[in-house]
Amino acid sequence: MVQNTGNRAVANRPQPWQMLLLATIGFALCFWAWALLAPLGPRLRDDLGLSSFEQSLVVAVPVVVGALGRIPAGALTDRWGARRVFPLVAALTILPVLYLGHLADSLAKVLAGGFLLGLGGTTFAVGVPFVNAWYPPARRGVALGIFGIGTGGTALSAFTTVQLADAVGRAFPFDLVAACLAVYAVVALFLLRDRPGRVTATGSMVSRTALAMRTPATWQLAFLYAVSFGGFVAFSVYLPAYLTRAYELGRSDAALRTAGFVLLAVAMRPVGGWLSDRIHPVPVLTASYGLVSVCALVAAFEAELVPVGTAAFFGLAAGLGAGSGAVFALVARLVPAERVGSVTGVVGAAGGLGGFFPPLVMGAVVSIAHDYTWGFVLLAVTATGAGALAATAVRRRARVISDA
């Protein structure tokens, strides 16, 4: 009888793949909400009479709020667990989504709604420690890479937002996302489970965040992720505007091409994690940043979109995606389990902030010089620096920890 009861308990225990699937779906839905404003950037520019800088500000505000919000979200997840935090964040994100869809009709209102919409971007710091706890070290790279597919919510937004707004009405994409978030919040509340026996962080959120910031590896990981994921976010939010201005594409065409970029970057994220499990994150990072540097220099010359420009952007997507997956495979190797959430919050914030500044810089440069070249040159230089950091200081730190 005792043995049968034990067998039933094991059979009813949530499986890691089930929890990974639930977390990835929630991450994708929240990122879908987080990215709703970017595809509508050109329309908002025309409807509200925005300048290039104001348009860039509208699409960048949710990015920076979502980035900074990851710091408390990660610390709260270490303490409360994703079972509580994930459905709560999904439910709260519904409010700014509906506000933007029905009430925001001025620059000030859109900025206010975008500020609150940043909440959806915090779910990254909720899901990483959750998935990390469910998988053994040898499989965390690919598991976190699969979870990272949730960033494809930005592709879902790029594919559907403009088309649905044109076909049904401006508010419909927002209503659809709000409904999906509501369903997920209820499902997650009943089905999402933290791993039994997970290590619960002690101390206040402030002290745990301060400890994460004092962890030696945190700032190196933060810079690497700011380049890889920050570059991905920057292209996701600014590429539609870039393609419509630099190549005079239509809005729908630009949105679809951006979605292709995002899909490739998302698909390469688990590849980066898988390669990191098989070899090591450091060589994967070095190769990824090298590819980004070369392709950014090619894009700086604004060659014909087909085939050279398209190849350069696809190369950027592949390098940024694989690099993002490799960074968090490295987090799993360098950071103690009870601090993964707090460190992920800081590193994730750096990634989001890495996506905040390039659109603003590009918008300012275009307004002054009517040229995009220097933005791509700066990306190439930054990616080269990230590759050098990974190949030197990060490699040494990883070797010390593996030898300990």
Side-chain angles (χ1 to χ4, degrees):
M1 179 68 70
V2 174
Q3 184 176 0
N4 289 339
T5 302
N7 290 339
R8 284 197 298 270
V10 172
N12 292 330
R13 182 182 300 168
Q15 298 299 307
W17 70 266
Q18 295 171 330
M19 297 298 99
L20 175 58
L21 179 62
L22 276 172
T24 305
I25 291 172
F27 183 32
L29 291 176
C30 289
F31 254 47
W32 183 11
W34 191 41
L36 278 170
L37 287 179
L40 295 174
R43 170 175 292 191
L44 291 171
R45 179 187 66 210
D46 294 341
D47 291 348
L48 302 179
L50 306 181
S51 67
S52 294
F53 180 79
E54 288 171 334
Q55 180 188 344
S56 300
L57 187 62
V58 164
V59 299
V61 162
V63 174
V64 71
V65 175
L68 294 175
R70 290 173 187 176
I71 297 176
L76 287 173
T77 303
D78 278 345
R79 185 65 177 271
W80 292 353
R83 181 189 178 186
R84 297 178 182 178
V85 180
F86 224 135
L88 177 63
V89 171
L92 291 177
T93 304
I94 295 171
L95 300 178
V97 168
L98 292 177
Y99 173 80
L100 286 167
H102 293 276
L103 299 176
D105 55 4
S106 68
L107 175 60
K109 290 181 179 180
V110 171
L111 288 175
F115 181 89
L116 297 175
L117 191 66
L119 183 64
T122 67
T123 49
F124 179 77
V126 180
V128 167
F130 174 73
V131 173
N132 189 75
W134 273 104
Y135 281 86
R139 298 176 59 195
R140 283 175 183 160
V142 68
L144 291 170
I146 292 171
F147 171 73
I149 290 175
T151 56
T154 56
L156 190 58
S157 179
F159 269 125
T160 63
T161 302
V162 173
Q163 288 76 7
L164 289 174
D166 289 342
V168 184
R170 180 188 177 279
F172 183 75
F174 297 88
D175 293 338
L176 177 61
V177 171
C180 291
L181 286 171
V183 171
Y184 178 77
V186 174
V187 171
L189 185 64
F190 286 99
L191 297 183
L192 207 64
R193 294 291 182 271
D194 292 304
R195 183 178 180 179
R198 77 176 183 91
V199 180
T200 302
T202 58
S204 68
M205 183 176 68
V206 174
S207 65
R208 284 180 281 117
T209 301
L211 178 61
M213 291 184 174
R214 292 196 302 269
T215 300
T218 299
W219 295 109
Q220 293 174 346
L221 293 165
F223 175 70
L224 295 176
Y225 200 58
V227 177
S228 57
F229 184 71
F232 164 76
V233 171
F235 277 108
S236 299
V237 301
Y238 197 72
L239 198 54
Y242 171 75
L243 292 174
T244 56
R245 286 178 173 267
Y247 291 100
E248 299 182 350
L249 299 183
R251 295 174 186 172
S252 295
D253 190 10
L256 288 174
R257 290 175 186 270
T258 301
F261 175 95
V262 171
L263 282 176
L264 178 57
V266 167
M268 288 300 297
R269 188 159 182 151
V271 173
W274 178 79
L275 288 171
S276 297
D277 285 343
R278 293 303 181 274
I279 45 178
H280 194 278
V282 168
V284 178
L285 286 168
T286 304
S288 297
Y289 293 128
L291 178 61
V292 170
S293 182
V294 171
C295 292
L297 287 176
V298 173
F301 289 98
E302 290 190 22
E304 291 293 327
L305 189 58
V306 180
V308 178
T310 298
F313 285 117
F314 278 170
L316 285 166
L320 295 170
S324 297
V327 168
F328 275 92
L330 195 59
V331 170
R333 291 174 183 253
L334 301 185
V335 179
E338 68 274 13
R339 276 189 268 165
V340 167
S342 298
V343 172
T344 295
V346 177
V347 175
L353 290 174
F356 174 71
F357 292 105
L360 295 180
V361 172
M362 282 291 223
V365 168
V366 172
S367 296
I368 296 170
H370 306 287
D371 189 7
Y372 293 92
T373 300
W374 285 108
F376 289 108
V377 171
L378 288 172
L379 174 59
V381 171
T382 306
T384 300
L389 176 67
T392 55
V394 174
R395 183 189 296 275
R396 288 193 296 270
R397 185 174 300 281
R399 185 178 295 131
V400 168
I401 290 178
S402 67
D403 291 342

